[in-house]
Amino acid sequence: MTEFASIDELVADGRSVHIECSRETSAALLAAVRARYRTQRCAFVLETDRGFERDSVASHLRFYGSIARSSVHYEDAISHFNLRGVAKRKMGGLAPSALALVNLARASLFEPEMCFLERPLSDLDAEGRAVALTWIAERMEQGCRFVTTVEPLREALLMPGVACWHEEGRFIAVDQDEDSDEADGEKPAYEGDEVHVLKIPAHTETATLLFDPRDIDFAESMNKATYLSVRGERYQTPRTMDELERELSRAGFFRCHRSFLVNVQKVAKVERYTRNSFNLTLSDAAHSSIPLAKGRAEEMRERYRW
């Protein structure tokens, strides 16, 4: 497991990193990025960015386009981020999802070599996340480095690069899946068609709950604990991800990422943003986005004949 012992070590690493952390830590990271990359083209999007309330989206982006002096025209940014429908709307009246896309469009005008983003995905719906993730992947392929912060780890894992969480001054990277499954041990066997009763335990402060696998949307491992997502609520389970994989494989669950086990019946859409970036959108109430590791995409396609 990769660890960065300090902010300076993480910022100096050179890779794109996406960090689950507090706002205080985000502010310290922002200062470190500004100091280290002050001679490069940078773009910054903070969660407090609102623009001038009386400006229209088009005039807001036109203004920043004139400052950036880049080859990206503000009208192209409006089209690229699907903002044509709100181009004449005032900044002060935008929904959070539209404002998030406007802020990313503003960042794109600078054609950054370094881009610092706070909560880039949190306010976006599935369509908006697809637009944002595609742009991030495209800019990374052109050499831009991203540092994103304050995003839940599940959202951070959707973005290309290294996903980390902050703990006691250290930044701990989530192990990423590649093509080999050896690190996870043997794959579960699929022999016979026997039916057996299966309940998955989870704990609240006052009770132990027993969930039918059909009610579980996905399981995730985060900060050394394992959680079940059930009807939009999250419950901690004593099972490890490896134990859940062994138990739930027969119930239609697939280990789509080292940190995620998904109920395949709940998968509504499989998206590929770039050659190495995959995403599963679920049919749950939140239309949850779950990362699909590059090394497991082909296995999932072959197993379920998609």
Side-chain angles (χ1 to χ4, degrees):
M1 180 178 290
T2 302
E3 290 190 16
F4 303 98
S6 67
I7 285 177
D8 289 339
E9 184 178 324
L10 182 144
V11 171
D13 180 70
R15 291 174 289 179
S16 288
V17 290
H18 314 289
I19 308 140
E20 180 188 69
C21 63
S22 67
R23 286 169 175 77
E24 291 76 14
T25 301
S26 178
L29 281 161
L30 173 61
V33 168
R34 287 187 187 278
R36 185 174 185 85
Y37 293 93
R38 61 184 179 275
T39 62
Q40 297 187 19
R41 292 197 313 276
C42 297
F44 302 92
V45 174
L46 308 184
E47 62 177 329
T48 54
D49 290 347
R50 297 289 185 273
F52 296 105
E53 289 188 358
R54 296 182 181 180
D55 267 356
S56 68
V57 169
S59 63
H60 177 79
L61 293 177
R62 181 170 59 244
F63 171 74
Y64 279 98
S66 67
I67 293 175
R69 297 183 179 180
S70 74
S71 61
V72 180
H73 195 274
Y74 79 94
E75 290 281 2
D76 295 330
I78 287 173
S79 297
H80 188 85
F81 287 88
N82 293 344
L83 295 169
R84 188 64 59 192
V86 297
K88 296 181 180 180
R89 194 168 298 175
K90 301 297 185 185
M91 292 288 293
L94 293 178
S97 57
L99 179 61
L101 288 175
V102 170
N103 286 335
L104 291 178
R106 186 192 76 223
S108 76
L109 294 171
F110 289 85
E111 297 181 290
E113 299 168 298
M114 160 57 69
C115 195
F116 180 94
L117 309 174
E118 286 185 338
R119 299 180 71 247
L121 303 181
S122 292
D123 289 326
L124 297 175
D125 57 18
E127 182 179 353
R129 281 196 296 267
V131 171
L133 289 169
T134 298
W135 176 70
I136 290 171
E138 289 172 350
R139 285 304 306 166
M140 282 183 60
E141 289 183 352
Q142 294 169 19
C144 180
R145 185 192 177 196
F146 283 82
V147 174
T148 71
T149 65
V150 199
E151 201 74 276
L153 192 60
R154 179 162 60 87
E155 304 284 7
L157 284 165
L158 294 173
M159 292 180 276
V162 180
C164 305
W165 75 87
H166 181 239
E167 182 179 280
E168 297 179 350
R170 299 170 299 144
F171 297 88
I172 305 169
V174 177
D175 291 331
Q176 297 291 325
D177 289 301
E178 297 300 337
D179 294 330
S180 171
D181 287 299
E182 293 178 1
D184 291 327
E186 297 182 1
K187 294 183 180 180
Y190 293 89
E191 297 180 359
D193 296 318
E194 70 274 14
V195 176
H196 61 283
V197 175
L198 177 60
K199 293 284 188 177
I200 303 300
H203 298 313
T204 68
E205 292 182 359
T206 59
T208 296
L209 307 177
L210 298 173
F211 287 113
D212 187 319
R214 293 172 295 183
D215 295 328
I216 300 171
D217 298 319
F218 61 90
E220 65 178 313
S221 175
M222 181 172 61
N223 297 355
K224 302 178 182 179
T226 306
Y227 300 89
L228 307 176
S229 178
V230 181
R231 293 183 288 276
E233 298 292 332
R234 194 173 70 168
Y235 303 89
Q236 187 169 354
T237 175
R239 300 286 197 268
T240 66
M241 288 297 288
D242 288 342
E243 290 170 339
L244 287 175
E245 183 180 14
R246 286 192 292 270
E247 290 183 292
L248 291 173
S249 292
R250 294 180 184 273
F253 282 71
F254 181 77
R255 189 78 172 267
C256 58
H257 185 281
R258 187 181 300 275
S259 300
F260 287 89
L261 186 69
V262 67
N263 184 344
V264 179
Q265 292 292 344
K266 302 295 181 77
V267 175
K269 183 165 54 175
V270 182
E271 297 175 288
R272 182 174 185 169
Y273 300 128
T274 68
R275 64 177 180 272
N276 294 325
S277 179
F278 299 86
N279 174 70
L280 303 176
T281 300
L282 304 191
S283 59
D284 59 352
H287 300 291
S288 301
S289 291
I290 305 295
L292 173 59
K294 177 184 66 174
R296 303 205 175 191
E298 186 60 32
E299 179 187 349
M300 190 173 192
R301 185 180 298 111
E302 290 180 357
R303 181 178 298 182
Y304 299 102
R305 299 182 180 180
W306 289 344

